[in-house]
């Protein structure tokens, strides 16, 4: 189960809309072991693509070091799908390598109109398990 | 003195949970060979068919080794090598 504040959900959706039709991506850091997403860091999509995303490697090093210094870990890793549903693709699954992270997918595909689809998954050893999202105020 | 290698969470099963380990070598390739001798199995997670796997980022100090010399990149005592899982994916 992912417990996340309404403010952070809105920020992710806002980021996904701003970068549409390219995929948007980012991370939410939280204290190690807390399972609590607190500090949102929108990341550059180095691919700038409607079908792929990749964190810029140097930006990632900087952000990961900062988390290390603050005793944080990536609690949420999010990205958007801009023309398909918010479900992990084969590529998403093959790259998923943070065992403690919730993988959040947002879909901004056109047929959803004003609504965005927001779903969360655990992806461990290639196995995808969707989980409940509890939004707090 | 040795070279410090920082290990990401996903690979710490190879290092008995250690976040950082020491290794030796004159190039990144030698360093990874030495790492594998101390922590068997690590090399296969980093290198495939003589090149760095696309699923990992390896940094020498503040630089991505893909922008340096890849596995041929020279390393020296006092350097820090950081391994991070690449974060990537997409709708296809």
């Amino acid at each position: 189960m992912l417990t996340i504040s309404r403010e952070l959900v809105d920020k992710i959706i806002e980021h996904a809309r701003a970068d549409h039709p390219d995929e948007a991506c980012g991370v939410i850091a939280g204290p190690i072991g807390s399972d609590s997403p607190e500090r949102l860091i929108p990341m550059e999509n180095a691919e700038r693509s409607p079908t792929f995303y990749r964190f810029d490697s140097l930006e990632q090093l900087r952000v990961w070091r900062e988390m290390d210094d603050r005793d944080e870990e990536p609690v949420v890793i999010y990205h958007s799908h801009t023309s398909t549903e918010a479900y992990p693709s084969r590529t998403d699954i093959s790259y998923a390598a943070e065992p403690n992270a919730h993988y959040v997918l947002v879909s901004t595909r056109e047929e959803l109109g004003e609504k965005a689809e927001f779903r969360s998954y655990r992806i461990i050893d290639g196995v995808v398990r969707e989980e409940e999202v509890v939004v707090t105020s | 003195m040795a070279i410090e290698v920082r290990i990401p969470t996903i690979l710490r099963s190879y290092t008995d949970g250690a976040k950082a380990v020491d290794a030796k070598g004159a190039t990144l390739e030698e360093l990874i060979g030495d790492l594998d001798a101390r922590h068997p199995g690590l090399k296969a997670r980093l290198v495939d068919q003589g090149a760095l796997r696309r699923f990992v980022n390896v940094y020498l100090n503040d630089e991505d080794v893909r922008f340096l010399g890849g596995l041929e990149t020279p390393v020296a005592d006092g350097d820090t090598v950081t391994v991070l899982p690449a974060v990537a994916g997409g709708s296809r």
Side-chain angles (χ1 to χ4, degrees):
Chain A
M1 182 176 81
L2 169 65
T3 305
I4 184 171
S5 71
R6 167 56 55 194
E7 187 193 351
L8 288 171
V9 170
D10 288 347
K11 277 187 181 167
I12 289 176
I13 293 172
E14 208 175 289
H15 182 199
R17 288 204 191 291
D19 285 11
H20 187 93
D22 287 346
E23 294 195 4
C25 56
V27 57
I28 310 179
I32 290 173
S34 69
D35 202 31
S36 171
E38 291 179 2
R39 195 167 62 89
L40 184 135
I41 307 144
M43 301 286 286
E44 185 96 9
N45 177 1
E47 302 281 332
R48 285 192 186 78
S49 156
T51 51
F52 289 106
Y53 83 99
R54 177 184 286 273
F55 284 8
D56 174 81
S57 65
L58 295 180
E59 183 183 28
Q60 188 190 346
L61 177 65
R62 192 166 48 71
V63 168
W64 256 242
R65 270 193 188 151
E66 195 177 69
M67 283 193 280
D68 230 26
D69 291 343
R70 298 166 61 120
D71 294 319
E72 292 172 335
E73 63 185 347
V75 177
V76 166
I77 292 175
Y78 70 88
H79 77 282
S80 64
H81 285 174
T82 58
S83 61
T84 57
E85 71 170 325
Y87 192 84
S89 66
R90 264 189 300 176
T91 322
D92 292 335
I93 296 164
S94 63
Y95 274 97
E98 289 289 355
N100 299 329
H102 301 266
Y103 285 87
V104 163
L105 276 102
V106 173
S107 175
T108 55
R109 65 187 189 276
E110 247 168 55
E111 70 221 50
L112 295 172
E114 290 297 295
K115 280 188 182 166
E117 191 184 14
F118 186 103
R119 294 162 75 178
S120 182
Y121 306 86
R122 293 288 194 172
I123 308 174
I124 295 168
D125 294 332
V127 179
V128 177
R129 194 163 47 78
E130 183 160 12
E131 59 183 2
E132 189 187 349
V133 177
V134 174
V135 180
T136 60
S137 48
Chain B
M1 230 164 87
I3 296 159
E4 184 188 56
V5 184
R6 303 189 64 84
I7 305 291
T9 314
I10 187 113
L11 297 180
R12 287 180 198 157
S13 53
Y14 295 93
T15 59
D16 294 321
K19 288 171 79 166
V21 295
D22 284 345
K24 288 181 179 156
T27 63
L28 185 62
E29 188 163 27
E30 286 181 23
L31 183 87
I32 291 174
D34 183 54
L35 259 186
D36 197 64
R38 298 165 192 244
H39 309 283
L42 255 185
K43 182 178 178 177
R45 299 296 299 268
L46 304 178
V47 176
D48 183 37
Q49 297 181 352
L52 280 175
R53 285 183 176 274
R54 63 197 166 94
F55 299 104
V56 291
N57 294 333
V58 179
Y59 305 89
L60 174 63
N61 302 319
D62 295 334
E63 295 294 329
D64 184 334
V65 300
R66 287 195 179 89
F67 304 137
L68 300 171
L71 287 171
E72 309 298 311
T73 305
V75 295
D77 281 357
D79 281 341
T80 299
V81 168
T82 304
V83 179
L84 292 182
V87 182
S91 52
R92 284 192 190 150

